[in-house]
Amino acid sequence: MFKNVISKKAIIYPLLMLSAMWFGYFLQMQGFFGSCFGAIIPLVPEGLLGIFTSPLLHGNIDHIIGNSIPIAALMFLLYQFYPMVANKVFITGWIATGFLVWLLPPIDIMTGEYMYTCTIGASGVVYVLAFFLFFSGVFKWNTKLLTISMLVVLYYGSLVWGMLPEELFYNMQEPSKISWQAHLSGALVGSIIAFIFKNVGEKKKRFIWEFPNYYSEKDDKLWQEYKENHPDDFLELPYKKRDDIWDHLDELRRK
């Protein structure tokens, strides 16, 4: 029974992503991705490679651990509750977010100066998944999917602050190394994908009693059981007298 409840893809795909992330980090430690190779470098042709590789690279052990936990949790929810569109959401979100980050000019908001930045990490994908799961539940207005939305808000609601430059909240001696551009891009892409797929997959279930002006005695089981168990109550019923057209003859003549 447990196997029928939990989707295999909801277990396998998060594990594959985590394996790829940790393997990428291992290669970094071995010197295979030195300097900015494999990172997104905005508006620089060499940085286009990072659209595909940057989510698999991380700056340090804390960075990859911090992204591994939400990636595992959010990918599980995606593949468990949105199996029909999960692959499209994940792949499209990955590429679209990376491309948007590449398009955004890396400008220091405090000084207005152009910066040569190298963006790595899976946080953009994390934002795609979190915002897709939240807004998809809202758009579909399905009880089960809304519950997933509330879980995302409960555990990852603080992600909203990551879409703003860290310099707005702290006095920093040097520019922040956290890419708010990647977070903002992921949030926008995830929200847009949720809207695009709002009519695909599981929707809000409408029960028969939710339709206006609906009632059928045959579908009312309690009423049918009562009639079967109390037949004496239905021997004499105040039926409405059938209209006879001849009773209205004088009225018709006056017209």
Side-chain angles (χ1 to χ4, degrees):
M1 182 175 179
F2 181 77
K3 292 182 179 180
N4 294 330
V5 174
I6 303 298
S7 168
K8 292 182 179 179
K9 291 183 178 180
I11 301 297
I12 294 173
Y13 283 93
L15 289 177
L16 288 175
M17 180 60 180
L18 290 176
S19 299
M21 289 167 56
W22 282 90
F23 182 67
Y25 183 68
F26 171 78
L27 292 179
Q28 284 180 273
M29 297 299 99
Q30 304 305 311
F32 284 92
F33 289 91
S35 187
C36 281
F37 181 69
I40 297 176
I41 309 172
L43 305 178
V44 176
E46 292 79 8
L48 287 170
L49 174 63
I51 294 174
F52 306 97
T53 59
S54 63
L56 305 179
L57 307 177
H58 292 81
N60 52 50
I61 190 69
D62 292 334
H63 190 195
I64 190 171
I65 291 176
N67 281 336
S68 294
I69 296 173
I71 278 287
L74 295 172
M75 284 189 68
F76 171 82
L77 294 175
L78 175 68
Y79 281 92
Q80 177 67 25
F81 296 100
Y82 295 90
M84 293 180 61
V85 298
N87 285 332
K88 294 179 181 178
V89 171
F90 185 73
I91 296 173
T92 303
W94 179 317
I95 296 175
T97 298
F99 185 65
L100 188 55
V101 173
W102 184 83
L103 286 176
L104 291 174
I107 297 176
D108 187 338
I109 65 164
M110 306 305 292
T111 64
E113 296 180 357
Y114 181 89
M115 300 184 298
Y116 184 89
T117 61
C118 304
T119 302
I120 57 175
S123 58
V125 179
V126 169
Y127 273 76
V128 170
L129 300 178
F131 276 74
F132 171 81
L133 290 169
F134 173 75
F135 281 107
S136 188
V138 173
F139 291 148
K140 292 177 183 293
W141 208 251
N142 174 287
T143 304
K144 180 174 68 176
L145 301 181
L146 275 172
T147 303
I148 302 304
S149 298
M150 294 303 103
L151 283 175
V152 171
V153 171
L154 180 63
Y155 288 99
Y156 299 109
S158 60
L159 290 178
V160 174
W161 303 112
M163 296 187 296
L164 300 173
E166 196 174 13
E167 291 87 346
L168 295 178
F169 307 101
Y170 307 102
N171 292 321
M172 308 183 68
Q173 301 298 324
E174 57 183 22
S176 172
K177 294 182 179 180
I178 297 176
S179 177
W180 62 270
Q181 293 94 334
H183 300 169
L184 179 60
S185 298
L188 290 174
V189 170
S191 303
I192 292 171
I193 294 177
F195 181 78
I196 292 173
F197 289 133
K198 67 177 181 178
N199 294 322
V200 180
E202 190 170 347
K203 303 175 184 177
K204 179 183 184 296
K205 294 180 180 179
R206 295 190 67 189
F207 298 96
I208 193 67
W209 57 79
E210 294 185 81
F211 290 86
N213 303 323
Y214 172 84
Y215 180 76
S216 172
E217 265 193 22
K218 295 180 181 179
D219 294 330
D220 193 335
K221 294 183 179 180
L222 290 176
W223 177 249
Q224 296 299 329
E225 290 178 2
Y226 182 84
K227 289 176 67 175
E228 292 176 4
N229 297 330
H230 304 83
D232 295 340
D233 293 347
F234 300 90
L235 295 179
E236 296 182 4
L237 294 176
Y239 293 106
K240 180 181 178 182
K241 181 181 177 181
R242 184 176 181 182
D243 287 339
D244 190 338
I245 188 63
W246 298 106
D247 294 339
H248 302 281
L249 184 58
D250 291 339
E251 182 180 347
L252 292 172
R253 284 175 177 174
R254 286 196 296 270
K255 293 183 177 180

